[in-house]
Amino acid sequence: MIRYTFGRLSSLVISLIVASMVIFLVIEVIPGDPASFMLGINAREDTLAALRAEMGLDQPLVIRYFNWVLGMLQGDFGNSWTYKTPVAELINDRIWVSLPLAVYALLLSTLIAFPAGIYAASRRGSAGDVTIIGATQLGVALPNFWFAMILVLIFAIKLRWFSAGGFPGWDDPLLAIKSLTLPAIALALPQAAILARVMRSSLLDMLGEDFIRTARAKGLTRRQALWRHAVRNALIPVLTIIGLQFSFLLAGGIIIEQVFFLPGLGRLIFQSISARDLIVVESVVMLLVFTVIVVNFAVDLAYAAVDPRLRSRA
Amino acid sequence: MSLLRIKEYSLAINGTEILHDVDIAVDAGQIVAITGESGSGKSMTALSIMGLLPRGSVNRGQIMLDGVSLLDASEAELCDMRGNAVGMIFQEPMTALNPVMTIGDQVAETILMHEKISRHDARARAVKLIERVGLKLAPTRYPHELSGGQRQRVVIAMAIAVRPKLLIADEPTTALDVTTQARILELLKGLVDEFDMGLLMITHDLAVVAGMADKIVVMQNGRIVEAAPTQTLLRDMQHPYTKALFKASGHKVTLPARADAPHLLYAKGVTRDYPLPRSGLFGARPSFRALNNVSFHIEHGERVGLVGESGCGKSTLTRAILGLEPIQAGEITLDGDPVFTGKKPNLTVRRRMQVVFQDPYSSFNPRHRVERLITEPFHLLENPPTSAARDAAIAAALRDVGLSVSDKDKYIHEFSGGQRQRIAIARALIIEPELIIFDEAVSALDVSVRAQVLDLIADLCKSRSLAYLFISHDLSVVRTVADRVLVMQAGQIVEHGATEDIFLNPQHPYTQALIAAAPQLPEISHAS
């Protein structure tokens, strides 16, 4: 187990290094140089020179890469050209919206998907199963912003239980959670539909396995065999999907953030790209990559917790 | 009163009649064997007793266990009965255990299901049971750390955990090596005596049946065609199917005589290492030696058998001969030409060798017609035959294996297991190779079909000069189809010699153990 963790950990570090190099180089290969790209063709020579100096473009590539990485390690992401504030502050404001939103949505999606998938698999072919399959079909097909608009219509405009958008900050945690609820549901529904389908089919595969027959021959009821033997084995593909979904939820909430006027990372990256603020783009992308890699590491550890075969393999 | 009494029992699944008027009785302390070929309804009989039939099953008749009618029992009553009054062992030990649960917990689960006992006490009893079935393993081990034979012992421990009155064993040793099989059968016999259990054993292997059972039940197409105490049945078989079954099991072919000939295949000092996962982050990568200094030869037209248990390196040797993988030392040549050159098989040599694998279904692309399937080896030729010559080659290959020319337009799923293996042989024959490797080629076939395929191989030897390497774990089959036998253990050839010499006078302890462990079919008069 220790060796496995260590192995995964070293692959995490290598992934991070490679990812940082790729992100850095992509920005560098832009025709001209980053400064002229950011300022456009009508930029004045002295403004351009000022930006070049600020970005350190007069230094060699390798030095700039190491400065960038060392800066990030110390929490210094540079200064935004458009906002004129440290990028670290920009990120810090927004990550406390996006991260809780993603976790919230993932929790909801898991809470919906697990029972639905397990129920459908345990009653394969029943009316309940058919209903759940139909619902997941719709959930996969309908985009999350459509859910968002419907939720706003019903719960904000008609029933007035929630506000239609905006984020009040974390001073009042309950209020903050309340304002994230509708966006989280809108994000969670399509993800839950996918997850429920994976859970169902993975469970059905497991229920056909020989060890389920063995369990039944020991005297376990169908339900006991499902819960004690099938569910844990079915978790492996489900964990993979959960890992992928978290990455999507963190960065992919752009439209939902727009619909609900949430100051999240999605909006920040969207605005920075529009404003050609490469310093912000570079750092936010690196942050997202970092999160995705760390989440994958967590998923790998979860695999090992579920499956002893992985623990004993190197 | 019998412990188990099945009376006039019939079963239909989704309208198809599976079992018809089955009558079986098992007494306490008695071993009753059900035998027959695949599809005869053996396993469905076992699942009927357990009440674990697939959906869409409709049954009638009577199954009484210790005075209780199982067909009238509720699902809750059946759950009480399963594992408690009846234990069951399955064919495939590799998949019968839950991979994410320790073996101790899996054995303890049976006890917890049926007795009011603390988890701690159940675990303690599981440890004793694991010892009782002959395992010296910690209960905290996981199934993937165990061999097939060890896993089957765990399954047995689970099945006998609360001392059931009846044990059902469905092909308990079919997936195991002969020496493991002998030990498992001994264990089962000992448990029957110790617990005074009834044992209902299902197996297609008549040699196993003859050595174990007090009573034999022969099934064909869902009906019992004959049932009698073992000795009576062996002495005086009544039904033609029983006779045919025993005859096919001991089937012997007559190979045409052959004179000494020059070497065709020559292997010298062949060594193959597989890398293993690194033990430390920076340590040298350890390797597993699958073939260790293997040397042998096959003459032109010679029939050579290769026996050994699973993991001994038989399949690795097949791949090495075919030139599919590099070897770390030694050389393999066909008529002096190396089979492996640099990074890929040597095509000039490769087209003179063909292989027939064990599973006739999965070795074919299901979307291709037979015509295309059997002409696959043509890509090894520089000038593959076209139009009329190609049709003639297809027709000849199909005819040679006893199929008709019209079969060329069919798909593989339209054929039975035996026919598929004939097609596999036709595919091997179509480019008229000088050497064919039969890698467990008849192991998955029923005895009567196996007899036919063995006859076919003998016939092919009569019509052409064909050399082959016949790889099998089944000693009785190798004995009849090989001029010479190689015995392999742990990547080494430990003994070789003329077939009858090896079988009558084995020198190496491993060969002796193999031959002693192989169940013997009793001598029976086939005079009908």
Side-chain angles (χ1 to χ4, degrees), chain B residues 91-108:
Chain B
Q91 170 167 4
E92 215 11 281
M94 300 311 275
T95 52
L97 295 170
N98 184 343
V100 303
M101 222 169 144
T102 65
I103 57 171
D105 282 351
Q106 296 196 51
V107 175

Side-chain angles (χ1 to χ4, degrees), chain A residues 3 6-7 10 121-126 206 209-222 224-225 228-233 236 303 305-314, chain B residues 47 50-53 55 75 78-84 86-88 90-92 95-101 105-107 109-110 113-114 142 144-145 155 158 170 277-281:
Chain A
R3 213 166 72 204
F6 193 71
S10 47
S122 65
R123 288 176 182 69
R124 184 184 196 172
S126 70
M206 286 305 146
E209 289 286 331
D210 284 354
F211 60 81
I212 297 295
R213 190 186 53 187
T214 311
R216 296 275 284 141
K218 279 182 190 176
L220 275 77
T221 62
R222 205 178 285 278
Q224 286 169 329
R228 296 190 195 171
H229 292 273
V231 169
R232 194 162 158 203
N233 278 288
I236 302 246
Y303 282 155
V306 170
D307 193 337
R309 284 165 294 189
L310 285 173
R311 265 174 270 168
S312 57
R313 218 182 294 155
Chain B
L47 292 177
M50 297 300 284
L52 289 175
L53 290 165
R55 280 190 195 191
E75 177 59 28
L78 285 174
C79 280
D80 273 348
M81 180 274 296
R82 288 182 206 122
N84 192 6
V86 191
M88 185 158 179
F90 302 95
Q91 170 167 4
E92 215 11 281
T95 52
L97 295 170
N98 184 343
V100 303
M101 222 169 144
D105 282 351
Q106 296 196 51
V107 175
E109 190 178 35
T110 310
M113 282 308 298
H114 297 292
Y142 285 96
H144 72 273
E145 301 169 312
V155 176
M158 280 166 28
D170 188 356
R278 257 172 241 283
S279 53
L281 191 58

Side-chain angles (χ1 to χ4, degrees), chain B residues 425-444:
Chain B
I425 296 173
R427 171 169 66 180
L429 287 175
I430 200 157
I431 52 170
E432 301 185 346
E434 288 152 86
L435 175 68
I436 296 186
I437 299 172
F438 292 101
D439 190 352
E440 299 279 4
V442 297
S443 303

Side-chain angles (χ1 to χ4, degrees), chain B residues 132-143:
Chain B
R132 173 62 191 89
V133 295
L135 288 176
K136 290 183 188 65
L137 291 173
T140 49
R141 300 289 285 271
Y142 285 96

